[in-house]
Amino acid sequence: MTGTGQMTVDEFRVLAPVGHFTGHGDWSDPDGVLMAVEVTSHDSYTHHRDHVVKVCAYAGAGIPVYLLIDRHNRSVLVHTDPDQEDGYRDIHTVRLGGKVALPAPVGIELDTEELKQ
């Protein structure tokens, strides 16, 4: 989401402790990243990339939570329990507008009502 409350196309963000990337330059080790967040676009290539390719990449990197906001399906997918070979072992799906728990290390409940706009 942007500061105005509008989603941008194929947006990517990570949640990490303050200062985690300080001094790392353009590339950084994913250790310490708590969550990756994606907002999908509406094309078929992006759908495959966000739902398959990135799931494997983020799980393989050991990122504990992958939050995917799927605008096409109007849903939020929370991927947890990463495995380097099998991807994420747990996927929880909620329709946009519902509330979803983001487990440790994030540890919050996310109300997705505003994402419906």
Side-chain angles (χ1 to χ4, degrees):
M1 304 252 315
T2 65
T4 62
Q6 299 174 350
M7 285 189 199
T8 59
V9 176
D10 197 26
E11 189 169 314
F12 169 76
R13 297 286 185 260
V14 296
L15 177 67
V18 173
H20 175 72
F21 297 109
T22 302
H24 288 247
D26 292 339
W27 297 98
S28 182
D29 193 302
D31 289 346
V33 172
L34 307 176
M35 177 173 67
V37 180
E38 295 274 356
V39 178
T40 63
S41 294
H42 291 290
D43 61 81
S44 60
Y45 173 74
T46 300
H47 179 83
H48 175 76
R49 186 180 66 213
D50 292 337
H51 286 269
V52 178
V53 176
K54 290 181 180 180
V55 168
C56 293
Y58 297 152
I63 296 174
V65 179
Y66 172 39
L67 176 68
L68 178 61
I69 301 166
D70 187 329
R71 297 182 314 149
H72 176 73
N73 292 319
R74 300 196 49 79
S75 61
V76 175
L77 293 86
V78 180
H79 299 75
T80 58
D81 194 14
D83 180 80
Q84 289 190 339
E85 293 181 18
D86 297 328
Y88 287 96
R89 294 185 197 121
D90 185 42
I91 303 170
H92 182 72
T93 304
V94 172
R95 299 292 297 165
L96 282 178
K99 294 182 180 181
V100 63
L102 301 177
V106 180
I108 64 168
E109 181 177 73
L110 177 66
D111 184 350
T112 68
E113 182 65 33
E114 289 190 34
L115 300 177
K116 289 172 48 176
Q117 301 175 15

